[in-house]
Each structure stands twice: as C-alpha cells, then as structure tokens.
Amino acid sequence: MENTPEALFENEEKMPKNGLIETILMIINKILDYTSTLEQKMPSIFDENKDIQNECDSDKLNTSSSSNDENVIFNDKNYTLHDYFSYWVDKLDFNENLLILTMMNIDKFLSKNFILTPNNVKNVLFSCMVLTQKSNEDETIYDKDYAKILKIKTDELINMELEFLKIIDYRLHVSGEEFDNYKIRMVKIWKQNFSYFTFG
C-alpha cells in the first residue's frame, strides 16, 4: 500500500468527535501552562474587556433570540474554557474537519509569537472558529449575532477577526496534504492520551 497521508490515516483508529475536542483543549491548556511562565507583552485586541461586558444591557440579551442555555453560559463568570469551546462547537455545528482546521489556524497564529493567556484565549479561539467556519462553509451566522451572544460590539468582533487574519498573513487556506498530515498528528496525540476513554 502506498505510504500517503490518506493511507496512513485509514490505518489509524478512528477518533471520536468528543475525543478531538478533548485533545484540542489539552493542547491549548498545555500552551497556557507554558505561556504563564513567559513575560507578558502589551495587551492585545483579544484581551477580554470587562468594562465593555459590564456595560452591556443583559435585558437585551435575554429578550433576543438567545436560548436560556446561552444566557446561563455567558452570564456565568465561572464557565470554563471547556464549557466555552464545547458550547460553540455545538452551537456552530462544527464537524471534525472544522475542528482540525481551527487547531491548524491556532497553530499558525501562535507561530507568529503571539502569547496566549487566560485573558485572551477565549477571544482568540472564538475569532479563529468564526474565520474557519466562514472560509469553509457557504452558510454562516452574521457577525452581529455572534457579537450579541458574546456581549461585545459587532465592530470589536470584526476587528478581532481582521487582526487574526493580519497576524497569520491572511493564510486560511491549507492543502489536502497539510490537512491529512495534521489529522494524523491529532489522532496520534489522542491515542496517546485519550483513546482508552469512551466518549458519549
């Protein structure tokens, strides 16, 4: 059999979607553990702006098309990165390919020496998910609707998307070979850390 990325992946154990989610979160948390030891740079556009969030009118959110689940997760100050990421994977109906593309774009972003911190990780991750979805699907949610749920202004979300694109030199496209090789790497990481778990 030819030793191509496609052939190699066929021989790998299939990675369940929840296993992929856990693998991505494990990688991001390891990055956060590492960057916590680094000297922090100047604040970035991705840092959470508490003042803006506090100024938002929560009544507008409650009377919008948002569900009760949305109100709970975004009004709860204690929601975790796991809660946040899992919520958006479900809300945006991300499949395994979009999840892998998201992690590939995060990799590109961090390769430009951007320091990921607890204060910016959610906005970086969300901006990346939005851009990944927009660049790979015909139908996506409007920025104003994303922003409403995030409780930020639409132009702030757009600015984060533009900054993300600028940092990665507008390189969202990946080749089939790049994707297949990255997918193999993700499966190997999953097998080393999570394959013995059963994900529902």
Side-chain angles (χ1 to χ4, degrees), residues 9-27:
F9 186 68
E10 286 174 3
N11 293 329
E12 294 284 356
E13 184 177 347
K14 180 163 174 59
M15 176 170 47
K17 183 175 178 179
N18 283 351
L20 180 54
I21 291 170
E22 296 297 332
T23 301
I24 290 171
L25 287 168
M26 181 195 75
I27 293 169

Side-chain angles (χ1 to χ4, degrees), residues 47-91:
D47 291 332
E48 292 182 2
N49 191 324
K50 307 297 186 201
D51 293 334
I52 292 174
Q53 290 182 351
N54 290 335
E55 288 171 5
C56 286
D57 185 354
S58 60
D59 290 338
K60 288 181 182 177
L61 181 65
N62 293 333
T63 57
S64 71
S65 59
S66 302
S67 69
N68 289 333
D69 288 342
E70 289 168 359
N71 292 332
V72 168
I73 193 166
F74 292 107
N75 288 329
D76 182 359
K77 301 300 182 187
N78 297 317
Y79 67 87
T80 64
L81 181 60
H82 188 287
D83 296 332
Y84 184 86
F85 187 54
S86 299
Y87 173 83
W88 281 113
V89 168
D90 181 62
K91 180 71 176 175

Side-chain angles (χ1 to χ4, degrees), residues 123-160:
N123 283 338
V124 167
L125 186 55
F126 183 75
S127 301
C128 183
M129 291 179 78
V130 171
L131 289 168
T132 301
Q133 187 176 58
K134 283 182 177 181
S135 62
N136 289 280
E137 293 191 342
D138 295 329
E139 296 183 11
T140 58
I141 301 172
Y142 290 113
D143 276 329
K144 64 181 178 65
D145 294 323
Y146 287 126
K148 183 182 291 184
I149 298 172
L150 278 177
K151 298 171 70 176
I152 62 175
K153 296 174 182 176
T154 304
D155 60 350
E156 289 179 300
L157 176 57
I158 292 171
N159 287 339
M160 286 194 294

Side-chain angles (χ1 to χ4, degrees), residues 28-38 40 44 46-50 53 77 79-82 84 110 114-125:
I28 291 175
N29 279 314
K30 283 185 178 295
I31 292 168
L32 287 170
D33 287 343
Y34 171 72
T35 55
S36 68
T37 66
L38 302 178
Q40 297 305 314
S44 76
F46 297 99
D47 291 332
E48 292 182 2
N49 191 324
K50 307 297 186 201
Q53 290 182 351
K77 301 300 182 187
Y79 67 87
T80 64
L81 181 60
H82 188 287
Y84 184 86
L110 297 180
F114 185 91
I115 297 181
L116 206 61
T117 71
N119 196 43
N120 65 34
V121 62
K122 293 187 179 77
N123 283 338
V124 167
L125 186 55

